[in-house]
Amino acid sequence: MKICILPGDGIGPEIMAEAVRVLQALDLRCELEEALLGGCAVDATGEPYPEATQRLAKAADAVLLGAVGGPQWDNLPRAQRPERGLLGIRQQLGLFANLRPAILYSELANASTLKPEVVAGLDILIVRELTGDIYFGQPRGIEMRAVDGHQERFGFNTMHYSESEIRRIVRVAFAAARKRNRKLCSVDKMNVLETTQLWRDVANETAAEYPDVELSHMLVDNAAMQLVRNPKQFDVLVTGNLFGDILSDEAAMLTGSIGMLPSASLDADNKGLYEPCHGSAPDIAGHGLANPLATILSVAMMLRYTFAQEDAALRIESAVRKVLALGYRTADIYEPGTQKLGTRAMGDAVLAAL
Ligand code: IPM
Ligand code: MG
């Protein structure tokens, strides 16, 4: 098992340290190699996804990533921003299938801003297309153009999807639904955008391959509303890159804290990049306060999807459950009556539970 470790920026190194300790405690034979991605890579090499990192990432079976970005890099030219590193690795490795589960641990029902009865028992999976759409579409830019007889700045991006790009992600979603409650909701904006009319058409065509899964469709604005109105109506959601970015943050918040949610980004052969859904949280970086559980749970996803080590994945997930049941919380999920821990102490608690 060759794993490329990319701690990244902000809280990245702190949460990654705990995830690596958990991984090592499992006594699996794995080879870890660390590299730079994001702002730290820009500082060291001038590029957010340097050559050396590309080599390691390509050679590895899986990549484990902390988080990238921070205000000190926000004014760099776009090509040097930390986020470009993340988009670059997703694109270069062909990681088109982003799986973002939103599970509410019963112990955290009160941490959600929604009423406990709305979110109790929530278990949904967002399948987000990750290498296409307006994120990567050309042409794009900001330039001077003639508008109504005068020159002014003009910003533009391009949304596009090919039929095959849609079909392969929809298949991933159908296959995931098949292993769950066999309900798939495809999210689009076909009442306005042609690209997403094609999305709906291809989803409908693909449904014939999965007669045992019930396919429905929803417009993205309604989906955003339904996610807070009655999220438990969903099992698996599948959508494009931009809508998936937005809806997955919304779904994360249903569970109380984005600090709890792992993610997997897979290529066609289950090689994957695994990262927490949250960002680099520059405001708390370096203080040992960040919640490492999303990164630890990302290790579980890595063991499950890339290495087919279901037992090891379940061991990590039940250790996390146990820690929550024992009343241990980081600041983001703290409530009176529980015990507040820092990043390292939370890692210790998971190790003890393991
Ligand atoms: C995510 C993030 C990224 C995205 C950013 C950091 C480029 O928000 O993984 O959801 O938009 O995909
Ligand atoms: Mg996002």
Side-chain angles (χ1 to χ4, degrees):
M1 294 167 40
K2 272 179 107 159
I3 304 166
C4 175
I5 305 282
L6 305 174
D9 308 317
I11 58 170
E14 299 161 54
I15 54 180
M16 184 60 78
E18 302 315 313
V20 167
R21 286 207 298 152
V22 168
L23 179 60
Q24 285 170 337
L26 290 172
D27 250 348
L28 303 165
R29 265 197 311 237
C30 54
E31 202 180 297
L32 309 183
E33 285 195 276
E34 197 171 311
L36 299 173
L37 183 82
C40 59
V42 173
D43 290 346
T45 72
E47 291 181 27
Y49 183 32
E51 191 61 47
T53 305
Q54 296 184 27
R55 234 178 301 115
L56 282 182
K58 280 190 214 156
D61 302 308
V63 178
L64 195 58
L65 169 66
V68 299
Q72 64 267 53
W73 300 290
D74 277 351
N75 294 318
L76 289 173
R78 205 155 272 276
Q80 281 172 21
R81 294 211 198 140
E83 293 77 11
R84 268 307 318 167
L86 183 57
L87 297 174
I89 193 171
R90 286 174 180 171
Q91 192 178 38
Q92 186 186 59
L93 300 182
L95 307 172
F96 69 90
N98 184 217
L99 311 185
R100 298 190 165 183
I103 295 173
L104 183 79
Y105 293 88
S106 51
E107 292 82 5
L108 299 183
N110 291 317
S112 176
T113 48
L114 274 81
K115 295 192 191 102
E117 64 268 27
V118 174
V119 290
L122 182 79
D123 180 354
I124 62 182
L125 174 67
I126 297 196
V127 178
R128 168 189 175 193
E129 200 288 330
L130 204 59
T131 52
D133 202 355
I134 196 165
Y135 265 59
F136 295 94
Q138 298 286 348
R140 62 194 297 151
I142 304 173
E143 60 185 37
M144 295 302 288
R145 283 210 191 163
V147 177
D148 294 333
H150 65 278
Q151 291 281 322
E152 65 178 27
R153 283 174 301 167
F154 186 89
F156 54 102
N157 289 89
T158 309
M159 174 181 266
H160 61 59
Y161 267 120
S162 69
E163 179 178 353
S164 51
E165 278 180 309
I166 301 168
R167 189 166 291 113
R168 67 179 181 177
I169 189 69
V170 167
R171 281 188 176 136
V172 168
F174 268 113
R178 201 168 242 182
K179 292 191 191 149
R180 297 169 46 103
N181 294 320
R182 295 167 188 265
K183 273 172 53 183
L184 175 62
C185 179
S186 171
V187 175
D188 61 44
K189 188 70 185 171
M190 61 76 86
N191 53 346
V192 181
L193 302 171
E194 288 80 357
T195 307
T196 72
Q197 174 67 59
L198 178 65
W199 181 284
R200 187 174 289 211
D201 294 346
V202 173
N204 276 328
E205 292 156 24
T206 311
E209 299 167 28
Y210 302 87
D212 51 326
V213 176
E214 176 196 321
L215 173 69
S216 61
H217 302 276
M218 201 177 275
L219 298 173
V220 63
D221 49 349
N222 187 27
M225 183 171 75
Q226 295 300 330
L227 269 174
V228 286
R229 194 184 77 89
N230 176 20
K232 286 189 268 178
Q233 70 186 281
F234 298 112
D235 178 21
V236 180
L237 288 148
V238 64
T239 190
N241 204 346
L242 179 64
F243 299 161
D245 178 47
I246 299 165
L247 294 181
S248 60
D249 267 27
E250 190 189 6
M253 229 25 238
L254 303 175
T255 70
S257 173
I258 198 167
M260 292 299 301
L261 296 188
S263 77
S265 306
L266 306 175
D267 75 0
D269 305 315
N270 282 345
K271 172 167 177 166
L273 180 146
Y274 299 84
E275 59 178 321
C277 284
H278 60 71
S280 59
D283 52 325
I284 57 165
H287 296 288
L289 295 173
N291 184 349
L293 294 178
T295 317
I296 290 171
L297 290 167
S298 298
V299 173
M301 286 191 94
M302 174 179 79
L303 293 170
R304 171 172 298 124
Y305 287 102
T306 293
F307 298 115
Q309 302 256 5
E310 182 65 22
D311 288 352
L314 288 173
R315 274 186 72 196
I316 294 179
E317 287 162 353
S318 54
V320 168
R321 271 180 205 279
K322 178 154 183 210
V323 160
L324 295 174
L326 288 170
Y328 297 127
R329 303 283 188 275
T330 41
D332 56 314
I333 48 176
Y334 173 77
E335 53 186 312
T338 63
Q339 192 181 339
K340 200 187 284 183
L341 301 182
T343 311
R344 173 45 58 117
M346 185 55 102
D348 287 338
V350 174
L351 286 171
L354 264 183

